Structures are given as structure tokens and as C-alpha cells.
Amino acid sequence: MGVLRSTASLEAEIEEMRETLLLSGGSGRADVAKAAGPGGVRRRVVGDGGDGDARTVCVTGGISFIGFAVVNRLLDRGYTVRLALQTQEDLDKLRETEMFGEMGRDGVWAVMANVMDLESLCQAFDGCAGVFHTSSVVDPGGLSGYTKHMAEKEVRAAELVVEACVRAQSVRRCVFTSSLAACVWRENTCPRSSRRATIVDENCWSDQSVCRDKKLWFALGKTMAEKAAWRAARGRDLKLVTVCPALVTGHGFRRRNSTSSIAYLKGAQHLFTEGLLATIDVEKVAEAHVAVYEAMDSTACGRYICYDHIIRSGQEAAELERQLGLPGRISGDGHADHPTWVELSNRKLSRLLSSRRRCVYDRYSILRG
């Protein structure tokens, strides 16, 4: 699916990735570059993983908008991170970010792994205790955003990633990035005559027939892929959780996440009308991924809806359209405010994050005392 991109476009994206790296507090040692392979990117030797390290994890799609934020969050938490890259362009882009240079991050290196190739995934995961599958199949040209064929590939990739996790004896946990789009597309979500808003939470799944009828291929792909992952993990020696983020925003999202945004926003006017159009900052998405991973040995399980803001007014919709450069995509021509017919719920994730922050505060208080 190679698409020609202008040098200016690539340079701008790389510069935004550098800025993200700096904003995350990345600082390395002068000897990091010496440990690096050609071009400043350290390459792992296949088979050197042994039984794995509890603090070593692999991230697929590690230079995607979400993946890059997850990697930085993991490094901040002291993990050793293996980036599973699919193409030479990904590798070149990573080199250009200078993540591995003197101003880069320690504890991270790259491997080449195709999410459609089981053997390469097994090799990439070997020696890791956990896997974050943030990779997604998206049209790099940003024209259609997502197609039915891509939805089918997404399903196969999900099955292969889970199978590779099971086969890699060191892997015990997998955090799978799904989407809120896998939860919200249903027939007659909330009758207008209802006195109470319908709750949309982790128990809700998008109706695949609705997605097909409306040609919502992104929602269909995310729904089918997440269900495929759960089927593949059932009865296996692997703990799986899924994170379902809303439309992901944040620093540089218009350029770095444009194709995913276009795909997600197909049918956005309906979501807006129903009170189901929500957003989430990419840093909070990363926080959620790492939080559920670290809680999987205790309380974390199942699905987690992830959002921090619901678009409720025409003014908010118009501002999001402006940020994306997609006039009329969300609110139509009128920008009229709409009543809320449903209630999105992220209480499950909120409880987990609140408990986690409380533990950190208690630990800090004990140390101070």
C-alpha cells in the first residue's frame, strides 16, 4: 500500500515526533549511540531473549501516533521496549527522530516484524514479558481512510498477534488497542421516547450488520479484530485486555493521525447527534495502556473504554473540524446543538486509574514520613 509522500510532509512528521520525544522528557546518555547499530538504531539479534525479563515489552506499531506515546510512557516507567517495525520507511523515520542519539531515550531498540507474518512476530516477541498491539491497518494515502479489505486484514493481524504471544513462551500479557468505534454502532441505540439515557460501556459491541449496511469499515474492522483477539486468547496461557479509545487527539494529531481520524469520523454526524462522539488525548491513551498492563496481575481484565471529552455542542464540533481541516464532516452545515440521547461510560477505567494514583500518593506519603 505504498503511497508517495512529499519530503516536506515526512520532515514535518519527523519534527513532530522529535517534539513529542522532548515533551515526554526524553534524555539519554552519551553512550547510547555507541550501543546502536547502523544509523543510530539498535537492532536486536533474534534468539537473544531467553526466558524474558519482566520489564521487557514489545510494541507493534511503535512509531504510530498511539504507539509512539505508549513507548515513551513505558520508557518513563522504566521498561525496556522493543519496537516492532514493519517497513524500511518506519526504520528510516525512527532514525530521523534521533530517539537513539545522545538526546534520545535509553532502553529501546528496533526489530523488523510483519503483523501478517506469524514467524516474524514470534521472533519479535521472544524474550518479552508483555506485548502492546497498537498497530492498525490504515490507508496511508488518507483518501478513503479504511476499506473492507483492510478490515479483513485487521482481523487476521489480530489472530496472528495473539497466536504469536501464546507461542512466545516468555509472553504472559497482551494489551490490545481496539477502538470506541467497536462499541457504539448499534441499531436503535436509544429510543427518543426513553426517559433515561442508554448507557454505552464495555459491555456494548458495535453491530456488524449495521457497520456493513452503512459501510463503516473502520468500525467493522475494529469490532471484528477485537472479537477475533478474544476468541484466539480464550483458553490459552495468555492474559488479554483491550483498550477502546475514542478519536485520538493531541500534539500533531492532524498530521500524524489524519488517516485514522478520517476513518474514525465516517458517520460522525450520527455519532454527534446521538452524543457518542468523544475524543481522548494521546498521552492519556498511553497512560491507560500502561495502567491496565500493570494491573493485569491483580484487577485489570476485559475491555476498557477510553475517552476524556464528549463533543456536545455545534461550537465544539466546528472547532474539531477546524483542527482536522474537515469542514462539515461532523456537524453538517448548521452547527446546531443536539440533546444527549445516550451516556458514554468510562467508569471502569476511571476507577482503575484513581486506584493507581491513590497507591502512588500513599507510597509517596510513606516515603516522606
Side-chain angles (χ1 to χ4, degrees), residues 9 12 24 26 31 34 58 93 126 156 178 195-196 211 215 218 225 242 267 284 305 313 330 335 353 356:
S9 173
S24 70
D31 62 342
K34 295 178 182 178
C58 184
K93 193 184 299 181
D126 178 35
R156 182 56 179 157
S178 183
R195 293 185 177 181
R196 291 184 179 182
C211 293
K215 295 182 170 53
F218 180 83
T242 60
K284 293 182 180 179
I305 283 180
S313 71
I330 299 168
H335 297 307
L353 293 176
R356 173 189 173 91

Side-chain angles (χ1 to χ4, degrees), residues 30-314:
D31 62 342
V32 175
K34 295 178 182 178
V41 177
R42 288 177 291 171
R43 302 295 298 278
R44 173 179 176 267
V45 178
V46 173
D48 67 357
D51 292 330
D53 186 310
R55 303 292 289 183
T56 299
V57 296
C58 184
V59 180
T60 68
I63 65 167
S64 66
F65 191 52
I66 293 177
F68 200 69
V70 170
V71 168
N72 278 314
R73 177 70 61 159
L74 287 165
L75 293 173
D76 288 342
R77 297 285 295 171
Y79 287 88
T80 298
V81 182
R82 187 176 301 165
L83 297 180
L85 307 178
Q86 291 209 71
T87 67
Q88 183 62 42
E89 181 181 323
D90 290 343
L91 189 59
D92 292 342
K93 193 184 299 181
L94 189 62
R95 288 188 182 121
E96 291 296 325
T97 65
E98 299 175 358
M99 173 179 265
F100 302 91
E102 293 184 4
M103 296 301 294
R105 310 296 303 271
D106 199 3
V108 57
W109 70 91
V111 296
M112 300 303 294
N114 187 339
V115 293
M116 303 303 293
D117 178 38
L118 179 60
E119 184 60 32
S120 70
L121 288 172
C122 289
Q123 292 175 354
F125 298 167
D126 178 35
C128 295
V131 169
F132 291 79
H133 180 50
T134 69
S135 178
S136 180
V137 181
V138 177
D139 174 14
L143 302 175
S144 61
Y146 210 94
T147 66
K148 184 178 180 180
H149 175 65
M150 292 175 189
E152 294 166 352
K153 288 188 67 175
E154 191 102 52
V155 173
R156 182 56 179 157
E159 294 170 341
L160 291 173
V161 166
V162 172
E163 182 63 30
C165 287
V166 173
R167 293 194 186 190
Q169 296 182 3
S170 60
V171 176
R172 292 293 177 264
R173 288 176 280 180
C174 177
V175 178
F176 185 98
T177 307
S178 183
S179 173
L180 184 58
C183 309
V184 298
W185 285 102
R186 298 178 298 156
E187 199 72 62
N188 298 323
T189 300
C190 182
R192 296 295 189 268
S193 60
S194 175
R195 293 185 177 181
R196 291 184 179 182
T198 297
I199 303 297
V200 175
D201 59 14
E202 289 79 7
N203 295 312
C204 300
W205 287 91
S206 289
D207 187 324
Q208 294 182 37
S209 62
V210 170
C211 293
R212 288 191 177 92
D213 291 344
K214 296 180 180 293
K215 295 182 170 53
L216 301 167
W217 306 127
F218 180 83
L220 178 65
K222 291 300 182 182
T223 304
M224 292 173 60
E226 187 185 347
K227 286 190 172 184
W230 283 114
R231 285 194 301 270
R234 187 180 300 132
R236 315 291 288 276
D237 187 19
L238 177 72
K239 293 182 179 178
L240 177 71
V241 296
T242 60
V243 178
C244 303
L247 176 67
V248 183
T249 62
H251 177 71
F253 85 102
R254 176 174 177 175
R255 185 183 301 277
R256 296 201 54 227
N257 204 43
S258 61
T259 55
S260 292
S261 299
I262 291 169
Y264 187 100
L265 289 174
K266 186 170 184 180
Q269 291 184 17
H270 175 76
L271 294 179
F272 175 50
T273 302
E274 296 292 318
L276 290 168
L277 184 59
T279 61
I280 176 74
D281 185 271
V282 69
E283 295 301 326
K284 293 182 180 179
V285 177
E287 179 187 8
H289 277 69
V290 178
V292 297
Y293 178 81
E294 293 184 339
M296 286 174 76
D297 280 339
S298 53
T299 59
C301 61
R303 311 171 79 203
Y304 289 86
I305 283 180
C306 182
Y307 69 89
D308 62 2
H309 182 68
I310 299 173
I311 306 297
R312 297 193 184 277
S313 71

